[in-house]
Amino acid sequence: MTHRKPLIAGNWKMYKSVAAAVATVLELKPLVSNANHCEVLIAPPFTAIKTVADRVEGSNLFVAGQDVAAEGAEGAFTGEVGAEMLREAGCTHVIVGHSERRQFYGETDERVARKARRALDAGLIPIICIGETLAEREAGQAEAVVERQIKESTATLTAEDLIRIVAAYEPVWAIGTGRAATPEIAQAMHHNVRGVFENVFGSEAASSVRILYGGSVKPENIAEYMREPDVDGALVGGASLQPDSFSKIVFYNRD
Ligand code: PEP
């Protein structure tokens, strides 16, 4: 089986001033500097990206944007930030299709697919988020919803692209609620997602792509997710804001 290096990603959402972001990252950097078993990434708000990226240069920390324009490198798109701009500011990755973007800003699978394409074309790794709502799960539609999201959100990609992207399964009912999915639920959905990738892109690409779990991940529960065969890391919101809790998640393999 292809070795998939785990990725632990922190999404800071709309938290932290530039000063607070710098303070956090300066504290985090030495705490995770010898994390060789996984990749570590943080996604600060746009305003702090450049400063944070400058401070982590040469370290093992990757920096991501939380969103990217679906349009071109530049243009009359007020409020948008292009993929090349993120690259220039020091990003290597970008989150696309986070459920908060889908829920509050009308993000569609079609737009997510265009954003993923833009990211790849600019040399960024897109972290493509998918996940069902509570109503969809209770109606027995979780698998169908996630299957549709992942197919349509990767519609612009080839098998070669798939190897470079990261997928993140984040059930909406588990985000910021303290109600984490069980490792069994996560594993079952990750397995389904990999199955969709296999059907669309072939088994080689499907076995290489990393699938993160997200939704109330904490230092106390990360190890049980990481034991599941199709869970290749985590996308962490609340618990990524503090260096102490985030570094404990990074070192999920320690007792
Ligand atoms: C997220 O925002 O991607 C997330 C998973 O948040 P939390 O860890 O706070 O549930």
Side-chain angles (χ1 to χ4, degrees), residues 11 13 98 100 170 174-177 214-218 235-239:
N11 172 17
K13 310 193 182 190
H98 190 279
E100 286 152 16
E170 299 204 300
I175 297 179
T177 58
S216 298
V217 169
K218 303 273 178 285
L235 181 52
V236 186

Side-chain angles (χ1 to χ4, degrees), residues 18-67:
V18 175
V22 168
T24 305
V25 88
L26 291 182
E27 205 182 320
L28 179 66
K29 202 163 58 159
L31 290 176
V32 299
S33 62
N34 60 351
N36 302 315
H37 60 288
C38 69
E39 293 178 354
V40 187
L41 172 153
I42 44 171
F46 284 132
T47 46
I49 285 175
K50 172 81 175 104
T51 317
V52 164
D54 287 348
R55 296 303 182 104
V56 301
E57 214 184 324
S59 79
N60 61 335
L61 275 168
F62 293 108
V63 178
Q66 297 176 16
D67 193 18

Side-chain angles (χ1 to χ4, degrees), residues 92-170:
T92 48
H93 297 63
V94 64
I95 298 169
V96 292
H98 190 279
S99 72
E100 286 152 16
R101 305 282 335 155
R102 292 176 184 266
Q103 231 181 323
F104 306 136
Y105 305 99
E107 189 96 318
T108 60
D109 290 323
E110 188 267 334
R111 259 182 88 73
V112 175
R114 283 168 55 211
K115 289 179 175 191
R117 178 76 262 154
R118 283 279 166 208
L120 283 164
D121 289 347
L124 292 172
I125 296 171
I127 301 174
I128 303 176
C129 303
I130 50 184
E132 80 285 359
T133 64
L134 186 59
E136 289 163 342
R137 174 157 289 270
E138 285 177 343
Q141 294 166 352
E143 285 76 17
V145 166
V146 170
E147 191 168 315
R148 187 210 71 224
Q149 287 178 334
I150 199 62
K151 266 192 195 148
E152 293 182 8
S153 300
T154 56
T156 53
L157 309 189
T158 64
E160 225 167 76
D161 294 325
L162 192 79
I163 294 168
R164 294 164 59 206
I165 72 142
V166 175
Y169 169 57
E170 299 204 300

